[in-house]
Amino acid sequence: MSVHLAKGTRDFLPADMLARRQVVDVVRDVFERFGFEPLDTPVFERIETLTGKYGEEGEKLIFKILRRGKGGETGACDQALRYDLTVPLARVLAMNAQLRMPFKRYQIAKVWRADRPQKGRFREFFQCDVDVAGTTSPLADAECLAVLYTALSELGFAEFTIRLNDRRILTDLAAAAGAEDSKSETSFLIALDKLDKVGRAGVDKELIGRGFEADAIEKAWKVLAPQENDDATLDYLASQLGERGQEGVSFLRQVRDAALALGVDSARLTVDPTLARGLDYYTGPVFEAVVQEPNVGSIAGGGRYDGLVGVFSKRDIPAVGVSLGLERIITVMKELGMLPEPAPVAEALVTVFAAEQTPASLKTASALRAAGVRTELYSGDGRFKNQFKHANARGYRWLVVVGPDEAEQGVVMLKDLASGTQEKLTATDAAAAIVSAR
RNA sequence: GUGGGUGUAGCUCAGCUGGUUAGAGCACCGGAUUGUGGUUCCGGGGGUCGGGGGUUCGAACCCCCUCAUCCACCCCA
């Protein structure tokens, strides 16, 4: 029988889990240092909670759960796996009016998308989200940039860029190019988003294909004319855009200033009016983090979504957040050799010599554990010699031998596998020796 | 949804223009060392060559179908 994983899913064997946990521990620690509190939500939601939030393309990628009974045959469904962590958060905010604002929460959890897998892309993957809800202050946006910057820095990333733009700038830009409704605006953004890949000529071609006029496209390019630095870019954009765009520019300026004051390295943050993020619900700043090598797309993305909670509730709650893509971060870290060798969970192995000594081995293991030593009791049926191999293969430093002599004398033989030295001690002294050698 | 690449031992791969019993390294098991790992030496187990069909005297190799996987596009973390 041939057995396969479901497409786009993976098992995480202990070696993978230990490495992943190191990464998650860093991220969680940074999140909590910024005052974000944990939240969890169901892995599936009522389908109407999820639909209409992600745009046409995103909608197709929602994993739907078939209804039981009659629905099974008709293909009807009333629930679906969560597509991200932002929409479930909006639902939580709408349902819990007692939450004190601003509400800062983080959530590190699996999400599902019915995408076709490729490098750094899976159907089941982890996102690490932080969001600030209940405030329109640019400080909240700046906090998101700072927490993103800090997390990536502490993970060991040196060469990354956080690109920053504003939905209002994009809207005015699309309008300059002749986009009059949200549909043609989206169409414009999709074409613009390809700038990195296909260049200006490629975008021109695509825009023409999408029905934009050549002279209108020229107007948009004029607005996008590269400037010397971010300040100049913001000044220039303000001079070129309408009222809505100017609002975006001045908000962005406040966000950027605050982020820099919060310690974000200006070399890692860049205002980029060509950054187009397609998610329907963004209303203000949008941003993403990218590394140039290896190419896995963006490793984090986020933005402000002031209208999303209002979709679920009469009470409108503004919010801004960022999502780190754990799989992509790990993919990059693996390729760049940034993941340190994970330490084994246990540090000592207690041997089981023969049936007569087994009770002494069990007592020894128990004593070591009680003293705080992470201990594996050899529970295989391999020969005595293999117990040494086992300890070595697992990467344990300590081997605790309880043979006939030791059992009789009421001691254990503590062997340091790193140095090869060994000595007879009581179980209590052995535990103390292991603890003090850490 | 579209387009390419790749499927040979647990893993990474070799296998010449189709030609005897399909190989290597690592891993695993055993022995040298019947209370001692990691190093060394010797030996061993393990493969429906992804699956099905076809061409041929003969197929891991050629053709068709299928499944899986990777990469690119769309979109995205």
Side-chain angles (χ1 to χ4, degrees):
Chain A
M1 154 172 128
S2 88
V3 55
H4 297 284
L5 285 164
K7 191 193 292 290
T9 66
R10 292 142 312 144
D11 290 320
F12 301 115
L13 298 181
D16 302 312
M17 282 305 290
L18 291 169
R20 295 174 74 83
R21 201 173 61 177
Q22 292 185 9
V23 174
V24 170
D25 284 351
V26 169
V27 171
R28 187 190 302 110
D29 181 62
V30 170
F31 287 177
E32 294 194 350
R33 208 184 315 150
F34 276 73
F36 291 90
E37 295 187 309
L39 175 79
D40 198 14
T41 61
V43 302
F44 56 90
E45 295 275 352
R46 296 170 64 105
I47 192 136
E48 61 268 27
T49 302
L50 302 182
T51 50
K53 315 293 190 299
Y54 303 113
E56 213 174 308
E57 290 297 321
E59 193 106 0
K60 291 185 208 154
L61 303 181
I62 295 174
F63 265 109
K64 294 175 181 168
I65 300 171
L66 231 43
R67 266 181 90 147
R68 289 167 54 114
K70 240 181 188 170
E73 290 108 55
T74 60
C77 68
D78 51 6
Q79 296 174 329
L81 296 177
R82 64 184 171 213
Y83 175 93
D84 68 3
L85 303 176
T86 306
V87 168
L89 169 65
R91 197 214 77 233
V92 167
L93 291 167
M95 289 177 66
N96 292 274
Q98 80 280 15
L99 292 171
R100 180 174 175 77
M101 299 294 151
F103 179 67
K104 300 175 75 177
R105 81 94 203 13
Y106 73 88
Q107 183 169 9
I108 298 172
K110 280 180 177 176
V111 302
W112 292 265
R113 295 182 190 177
D115 238 345
R116 183 174 288 208
Q118 56 179 280
K119 190 178 176 73
R121 171 182 293 186
F122 304 91
R123 290 185 150 189
E124 175 182 73
F125 61 100
F126 275 88
Q127 289 194 325
C128 312
D129 272 41
V130 285
D131 293 81
V132 184
T135 172
T136 55
S137 166
L139 294 185
D141 307 67
E143 280 273 85
C144 289
L145 294 177
V147 78
L148 170 60
Y149 168 82
T150 306
L152 292 178
S153 297
E154 295 201 4
L155 285 170
F157 285 91
E159 304 289 313
F160 65 91
T161 305
I162 300 173
R163 303 168 67 203
L164 178 61
N165 197 8
D166 193 288
R167 185 59 178 264
R168 289 161 287 192
I169 294 173
L170 287 166
T171 300
D172 265 16
L173 189 63
E180 276 155 15
D181 53 18
S182 74
K183 198 168 179 185
S184 61
E185 179 184 326
T186 302
S187 181
F188 175 83
L189 294 183
I190 288 169
L192 179 63
D193 192 42
K194 294 179 187 166
L195 183 60
D196 285 344
K197 273 178 187 158
V198 300
R200 178 168 167 171
V203 173
D204 277 343
K205 200 174 159 194
E206 173 130 7
L207 285 172
I208 298 287
R210 287 170 178 272
F212 286 85
E213 302 292 334
D215 56 338
I217 296 169
E218 271 315 304
K219 273 189 207 161
W221 285 123
K222 186 172 173 254
V223 177
L224 291 170
Q227 305 298 315
E228 276 179 23
N229 54 46
D230 284 357
D231 281 321
T233 301
L234 290 168
D235 288 342
Y236 181 73
L237 285 171
S239 74
Q240 296 293 310
L241 296 170
E243 198 176 323
R244 179 175 43 200
Q246 287 176 22
E247 207 177 290
V249 169
S250 82
F251 196 82
L252 225 44
R253 207 188 301 271
Q254 297 175 71
V255 171
R256 178 171 175 277
D257 289 349
L260 296 180
L262 282 167
V264 175
D265 181 352
S266 62
R268 306 265 74 87
L269 181 66
T270 171
V271 172
D272 185 349
T274 68
L275 168 65
R277 303 202 85 239
L279 247 53
D280 273 6
Y281 52 65
Y282 288 127
T283 54
V286 290
F287 39 88
E288 68 176 29
V290 291
V291 289
Q292 58 284 26
E293 280 297 323
N295 177 29
V296 292
S298 57
I299 58 174
R304 179 168 276 282
Y305 47 99
D306 286 347
L308 185 56
V309 178
V311 172
F312 296 115
S313 153
K314 269 181 246 167
R315 206 168 59 118
D316 212 348
I317 300 175
V320 56
V322 60
S323 177
L324 281 78
L326 188 61
E327 321 306 325
R328 290 184 179 181
I329 285 171
I330 287 173
T331 299
V332 172
M333 290 181 77
K334 213 176 251 175
E335 282 198 29
L336 267 38
M338 293 163 62
L339 286 173
E341 278 298 306
V345 166
E347 54 195 329
L349 178 76
V350 174
T351 67
V352 173
F353 193 89
E356 294 74 41
Q357 286 75 234
T358 301
S361 289
L362 303 190
K363 277 184 77 172
T364 301
S366 177
L368 290 173
R369 289 166 180 166
V373 175
R374 298 187 304 275
T375 304
E376 177 179 353
L377 173 72
Y378 188 80
S379 53
D381 46 15
R383 306 181 326 158
F384 184 64
K385 182 176 176 173
N386 287 345
Q387 304 190 26
F388 280 73
K389 283 190 163 197
H390 184 78
N392 196 65
R394 281 280 165 88
Y396 301 157
R397 178 172 172 191
W398 305 102
L399 188 67
V400 181
V401 178
V402 188
D405 298 347
E406 290 84 2
E408 198 177 315
Q409 296 166 31
V411 296
V412 301
M413 179 74 83
L414 176 66
K415 174 156 186 166
D416 180 348
L417 290 170
S419 67
T421 58
Q422 56 185 38
E423 76 180 301
K424 280 185 181 173
L425 299 165
T426 64
T428 311
D429 289 345
I434 292 170
V435 169
S436 69
R438 275 180 194 153

